[in-house]
Amino acid sequence: MRTGRPGRLGRWVARARLSSLRTTFTVSFAAVAAAVTVLVGFLSYDAAARLVRVDQQTVFEGVVQDLLDEVRRNPLGPADFATAGAGGGPRGELVRPGGTVVQVLGPDGSVVDRGRTPLPVDAADRPIASARSAGRLVEHRDVDVGDDVYRVATVSLGGGRGAVQVAQEFSGTEDLLRDLQQRTVLLVGAVVIAAGLFGWWLARRITSRLVRLAGAAEDVARTGRLGIQVPVTGYDEVARLGRSFDRMLGRLAQSEDDQRRLVQDAGHELRTPLTSLRTNISILRRIDELPPAVREELVDDLAQESRELTDLVNELVALAAGQSDTEPPRRVTLGDLADDVAVAARRRTGRAVTVRVSGDTVVDGRPAALQRAMSNLVDNAAKFDRGGSGPIELVVTRADRDTVRVEVLDRGPGIAQEDLDRVFDRFYRAPDARSLPGSGLGLSIVREVADAHGGEPFAGRRDGGGSVTGFTVAG
């Protein structure tokens, strides 16, 4: 129970964070949608309201101007604007625009002919009615008539004959604009709610995969098992993250398996020389009792076993270093590396080593690892070609545009057909080679280097006797 609590707590914390991410995404999406919708709605309403008001004001100003032109051009009296003659007279021209109201005032400012809506007459209108000149105007003003708002202008007929009031109803327009405003607000609210719901759905769809990915990561952290299946769907960034995480787990699992197998194989291979050393060391306690020839043989055995143990440990260290090599790749000329390997092999083994290079052998790789692989191939050939019937050949060629081939040819006993598929296995030693010094790791290092450089190892029998071993490098 104690071990389960941290896992449940960690999962709860992760889900809480992802839920917070989901909430943040939803709120942000809704906020952006709200801001855009409010801005567009405000600008649209403002533009529409301004256009309607300007249009209505323009119509009213046109009516007033027509009235001014008419009374200045013709001497008209109150009777000319009477309701009875409105069909074809000046009054009819005034009321033709929808919503226009006409009211006629007498010389004393009293109402002599009301329109369909009575208009108020105030102190500024009466002097206009008795004015001697035609076309005097009382500026437009807004008045309340019942529940409606009218814009009123009063124009004198001249000669003290009275005046004409014209009015345009504006309350209907304002009601229309208020209705438009309410509809805009409702639309903004609906858009915000829809954006919030869509943002929540989208955030849930995105974060649900993150929740599953986080759960897989927590399972790996809690159990230490790297073989957990990572759910991956889609092709977006979250899916790419899931696939990358899955590949990372695969690489880690492979690395863990390699390390476990290396430790097991190393333990198996180290057991034999260590047991022999312990046995010989125990005999050393009675070395004074042994004949001189036995003493000499015992010391030789100890020296031989020490060398084999040292070689085995060195090979293990080299193999482990090769698996985690941090040497940065760079442009390498394999032909030059082959020359260096041949010089070192001649000095170390005393054997003749020839180098043949053809084509462009420049590749991207780690020089130390590639040189190590070539050296292992040459040393392996020198070890098995004990008769020295011919020189060891180190050949580097450009196989095709994308591959460089490295091969070592010798005239030794060759490799048995049944061993060709296993010579690059770790710690594998053919039956004929078990009496020879070595750890069985040299060619496995060649395989590791080839795999790391996008190539593969190969081995075969050579025409006329001997063997051909080598590897390819992508380049």
Side-chain angles (χ1 to χ4, degrees):
M1 294 297 293
R2 291 182 179 178
T3 58
R5 290 177 181 174
R8 288 196 296 269
L9 179 59
R11 181 172 297 182
W12 181 86
V13 171
R15 287 179 177 173
R17 290 175 178 173
L18 289 172
S19 298
S20 176
L21 176 62
R22 183 182 301 173
T23 303
T24 302
F25 189 89
T26 303
V27 173
S28 300
F29 196 90
V32 171
V36 173
T37 306
V38 168
L39 179 62
V40 173
F42 172 77
L43 293 178
S44 301
Y45 171 78
D46 183 69
R50 186 176 302 176
L51 182 64
V52 170
R53 286 175 178 141
V54 169
D55 182 68
Q56 193 170 27
Q57 178 66 25
T58 301
V59 170
F60 182 67
E61 289 177 352
V63 171
V64 174
Q65 187 62 44
D66 290 343
L67 177 59
L68 288 173
D69 294 340
E70 185 69 24
V71 299
R72 287 170 181 170
R73 188 169 51 247
N74 302 313
L76 301 173
D80 294 317
F81 292 93
T83 304
R91 188 184 184 105
E93 295 294 330
L94 295 178
V95 300
R96 186 168 296 134
T100 302
V101 176
V102 177
Q103 181 171 272
V104 183
L105 303 181
D108 58 354
S110 60
V111 178
V112 298
D113 191 338
R114 297 183 182 279
R116 56 184 174 82
T117 301
L119 301 176
V121 180
D122 58 20
D125 297 322
R126 293 187 179 91
I128 292 296
S130 60
R132 305 305 299 174
S133 60
R136 289 186 59 184
L137 175 67
V138 174
E139 294 296 335
H140 308 162
R141 67 187 189 277
D142 294 338
V143 299
D144 295 329
V145 180
D147 296 332
D148 299 324
V149 178
Y150 285 80
R151 182 158 294 176
V152 181
T154 304
V155 177
S156 65
L157 296 176
R161 293 188 295 272
V164 177
Q165 289 183 303
V166 290
Q168 184 77 28
E169 184 182 358
F170 276 69
S171 58
T173 301
E174 295 302 323
D175 291 341
L176 176 64
L177 292 178
R178 277 193 297 272
D179 183 65
L180 177 62
Q181 187 180 44
Q182 292 174 357
R183 290 175 181 269
T184 302
V185 172
L186 292 176
L187 177 62
V188 169
V191 169
V192 170
I193 294 174
L197 293 175
F198 179 75
W200 177 83
W201 173 81
L202 185 61
R204 185 174 181 270
R205 182 177 180 181
I206 294 175
T207 57
S208 61
R209 291 182 292 167
L210 290 176
V211 170
R212 293 195 296 269
L213 185 58
E218 290 160 5
D219 290 340
V220 171
R222 185 177 64 255
T223 63
R225 293 186 294 109
L226 299 177
I228 293 177
Q229 184 67 30
V230 178
V232 179
T233 56
Y235 298 94
D236 56 7
E237 287 78 3
V238 178
R240 289 174 55 194
L241 175 63
R243 281 189 286 270
S244 298
F245 186 72
D246 190 49
R247 287 193 296 268
M248 181 188 70
L249 288 181
R251 292 291 297 274
L252 289 175
Q254 181 64 39
S255 177
E256 187 179 58
D257 291 341
D258 291 341
Q259 291 178 2
R260 185 182 299 109
R261 189 168 63 253
L262 176 62
V263 171
Q264 292 173 350
D265 293 344
H268 175 74
E269 293 295 324
L270 287 170
R271 190 175 296 116
T272 299
L274 288 176
T275 301
S276 180
L277 280 174
R278 289 178 60 186
T279 302
N280 288 333
I281 289 173
S282 66
I283 296 176
L284 285 176
R285 299 178 182 274
R286 299 183 294 109
I287 193 170
D288 294 337
E289 304 174 7
L290 300 176
V294 176
R295 294 181 189 178
E296 187 69 24
E297 183 180 357
L298 177 61
V299 172
D300 291 341
D301 286 344
L302 286 173
Q304 178 65 26
E305 290 162 359
S306 298
R307 284 193 298 269
E308 291 183 3
L309 184 60
T310 300
D311 292 341
L312 178 58
V313 172
N314 289 336
E315 294 285 357
L316 287 172
V317 171
L319 183 61
Q323 290 180 343
S324 59
D325 197 350
T326 58
E327 181 186 12
R330 60 184 178 85
R331 300 295 287 175
V332 181
T333 303
L334 293 183
D336 294 342
L337 286 183
D339 290 333
D340 296 338
V341 169
V343 171
R346 294 187 196 106
R347 183 176 59 251
R348 186 170 57 250
T349 65
R351 293 292 305 275
V353 180
T354 62
V355 177
R356 288 190 286 117
V357 179
S358 63
D360 179 18
T361 62
V362 178
V363 298
D364 290 325
R366 295 196 291 269
L370 292 169
Q371 187 170 0
R372 174 75 177 181
M374 291 185 190
S375 297
N376 286 358
L377 290 174
V378 174
D379 291 344
N380 191 71
K383 180 174 65 174
F384 286 96
D385 187 8
R386 295 184 297 274
S389 56
I392 297 172
E393 299 179 37
L394 176 55
V395 182
V396 183
T397 58
R398 168 67 64 173
D400 53 46
R401 188 181 64 179
D402 300 322
T403 307
V404 175
R405 181 181 178 94
V406 178
E407 57 185 8
V408 174
L409 301 89
D410 62 67
R411 288 299 181 183
I415 304 173
Q417 189 65 37
E418 60 271 15
D419 295 329
L420 287 176
D421 295 333
R422 301 191 58 189
V423 292
F424 293 100
D425 291 347
R426 191 176 298 164
F427 295 110
Y428 178 77
R429 302 181 73 188
D432 296 340
R434 290 171 186 171
S435 60
L436 298 176
S439 61
L441 289 174
L443 293 184
S444 68
I445 292 176
V446 174
R447 184 183 63 183
E448 297 282 348
V449 173
D451 292 342
H453 289 80
E456 59 182 1
F458 58 87
R461 300 177 64 85
R462 185 182 181 187
D463 293 338
S467 61
V468 179
T469 57
F471 61 96
T472 59
V473 178

